[in-house]
Amino acid sequence: MRWSLTQLKKFSNESIAVNEKVQFKEITDRKDVLGLSGTSVEGEMHVGANRIGVALTIDTVVHMLDSRTSENIEVPLHIESYEEFDEEAEETDELDENVHPVTHTLDLEPVVRELIVVNLPNVVTESDEVPAGGSNWSVMTEDELADEEEQKVDPRLSKLKSLLESDNENKED
């Protein structure tokens, strides 16, 4: 996935098909990401005078730890992106996040790697099981929470609650 600019200039104002299979050894230092299956990178490269636009479609399967059970699960990723590589841009220029400066060679691997890392889910689970609870905490539904909050009345406000209840009884009569 690396081309020299002189090689690409031969296809000025034309489109070049990109169809690559990439195997990344490590993609990130996150502990919940165990690895990737083969990554498919497809797309089209449009070579212009000073800019090269690349429409990318990335498909891969990420092996991750389930957030609840810590079991190995497979998470499919499908990413579509349009990236531009500009010969006149400098590293110090403030560029849009999809515009990359390029000097002698156009290398898609770092861009593909970054797109995968950015699109990794933070929390992933295949389990429908709700955690049972732990010491000093438990899992409850929203209805149970609402009932519990209704029952808890600040002792300083208990007199006001009785006034509200008596006012409601007077309105009903």
Side-chain angles (χ1 to χ4, degrees):
M1 293 195 321
R2 182 180 293 191
W3 299 268
S4 71
L5 292 181
T6 55
Q7 185 181 27
L8 291 175
K9 290 294 180 186
K10 294 175 187 173
F11 301 99
S12 186
N13 297 324
E14 292 184 32
S15 295
I16 302 170
V18 176
N19 189 356
E20 299 277 338
K21 301 281 186 213
V22 183
Q23 185 64 44
F24 293 106
K25 291 181 182 173
E26 279 192 29
I27 194 76
T28 181
D29 59 352
R30 283 180 41 181
K31 302 287 186 224
D32 62 336
V33 177
L34 304 175
L36 294 174
S37 293
T39 302
S40 168
V41 180
E42 297 177 356
E44 247 186 310
M45 214 181 303
H46 306 283
V47 181
N50 292 321
R51 279 198 173 198
I52 301 165
V54 184
L56 289 172
T57 302
I58 303 166
D59 289 303
T60 190
V61 176
V62 183
H63 299 277
M64 298 181 72
L65 292 177
D66 188 294
S67 298
R68 289 188 183 159
T69 63
S70 294
E71 293 177 4
N72 184 2
I73 59 173
E74 293 181 347
V75 180
L77 280 183
H78 177 79
I79 304 164
E80 293 183 8
S81 181
Y82 184 78
E83 306 292 325
E84 287 190 359
F85 295 86
D86 192 343
E87 289 182 66
E88 297 176 344
E90 300 289 330
E91 290 286 337
T92 57
D93 293 347
E94 289 187 31
L95 300 171
D96 183 41
E97 63 186 27
N98 293 356
V99 178
H100 311 278
V102 63
T103 51
H104 302 291
T105 59
L106 185 147
D107 189 4
L108 286 181
E109 186 175 325
V111 174
V112 170
R113 181 182 296 272
E114 178 183 348
L115 286 169
I116 292 171
V117 169
V118 167
N119 285 285
L120 286 173
N122 289 328
V123 176
V124 64
T125 186
E126 288 183 342
S127 172
D128 292 332
E129 177 182 315
V130 177
S135 61
N136 299 327
W137 68 275
S138 64
V139 177
M140 61 176 51
T141 65
E142 289 183 21
D143 294 333
E144 292 171 337
L145 178 63
D147 291 343
E148 185 176 299
E149 287 177 350
E150 276 183 26
Q151 293 173 0
K152 287 183 181 177
V153 176
D154 190 338
R156 298 171 290 181
L157 302 176
S158 60
K159 290 182 182 177
L160 291 175
K161 185 176 179 184
S162 64
L163 286 174
L164 181 64
E165 289 172 357
S166 65
D167 190 40
N168 284 341
E169 288 175 7
N170 290 338
K171 286 182 182 178
E172 291 176 3
D173 291 337

